Each structure stands twice: as C-alpha cells, then as structure tokens.
Amino acid sequence: MKVLIVDDDPHLRKLYKEELEDEHYDVYIASSGKEALEIFARELPDIVTLDILMPGMDGIEVLRRMKEQKPNLPVIMSTAYDYRDDFSVWASDAYVVKSADMTELKNTIKNLLSKK
C-alpha cells in the first residue's frame, strides 16, 4: 500500500516515513502542496496524510484537488492545531493531531485502508 505524507516539517516527514515503512507501507513524502499533487498524479497513493498549514498551497486546497480527481481516496488531515470545527476539513476521512506518538495515526491508516 502506498502512503503519501504531506508536511512542511522535515523532522515530522522523516519520523512518519520511518515509522510507516516499519509497518511495510511504501511511503512517499512531499514538503509542499505543489509537490504533493505531483507525487499524487505520478504514484496514485492508496491513502494520504495531509498537513493543513503549509506555505503556498495549504492542505485544504490540496485536499480539494485530490478529491476532485479521486473522490474515494482516504485522506487524513494531520495538524498541530484543532480544526475539527472548520467545515473545510470535513471532506477528509479522518483528523489526527500531530504527535511523536504514532499510535493514533497508524491505527487510523489501518482502519481507513481496511474499508477500501
């Protein structure tokens, strides 16, 4: 299964990549919305974790563009801030607050992929 990690924080990208590769996922990383859309088009990931606050194109715009092309793509919004009351994130399939503890994110990925 292919996982696309989109986050502007290089340390978090590295952590997510290493942890998810340990779970036997093929992991692709993007540091910007533009790069994420390029990888999305080329690799056709099975699931995406997407940061909301990024310079340039934010995660909400990336979410919208990905869902236009692949409406059933599971997308997990991952952010350090609580956006659950923001209607624009409701198009995502899950919402995870960033943490060094990867348990919640790993469980969310497993659950969403099991529904595919």
Side-chain angles (χ1 to χ4, degrees):
M1 290 284 176
K2 294 181 180 180
V3 179
L4 173 56
I5 305 296
V6 185
D7 201 292
D8 60 338
D9 181 332
H11 303 293
L12 205 59
R13 285 194 310 269
K14 184 176 186 218
L15 171 67
Y16 282 20
K17 182 172 175 53
E18 289 174 0
E19 290 280 335
L20 293 173
E21 284 177 341
D22 285 348
E23 299 286 322
H24 307 290
Y25 294 110
D26 294 323
V27 180
Y28 300 85
I29 57 172
S31 61
S32 68
K34 181 180 182 296
E35 184 182 14
L37 292 173
E38 290 167 0
I39 293 170
F40 170 76
R42 185 177 66 239
E43 298 298 335
L44 302 173
D46 298 294
I47 192 165
V48 176
T49 69
L50 185 55
D51 187 14
I52 294 176
L53 288 179
M54 295 185 293
M57 187 185 315
D58 69 14
I60 303 300
E61 179 64 18
V62 176
L63 171 67
R64 186 184 64 75
R65 290 185 185 194
M66 286 180 176
K67 288 289 193 172
E68 283 175 355
Q69 295 176 45
K70 196 172 175 186
N72 295 325
L73 173 73
V75 177
I76 301 167
M77 298 308 285
S78 172
T79 185
Y81 307 99
D82 192 342
Y83 280 88
R84 282 176 277 213
D85 293 334
D86 184 338
F87 292 125
S88 56
V89 302
W90 288 15
S92 67
D93 298 275
Y95 180 94
V96 175
V97 176
K98 291 180 188 178
S99 169
D101 179 355
M102 297 285 297
T103 306
E104 183 181 5
L105 180 62
K106 287 178 184 179
N107 289 339
T108 302
I109 289 171
K110 283 179 192 165
N111 290 339
L112 289 173
L113 288 175
S114 71
K115 294 177 184 176
K116 279 188 84 170

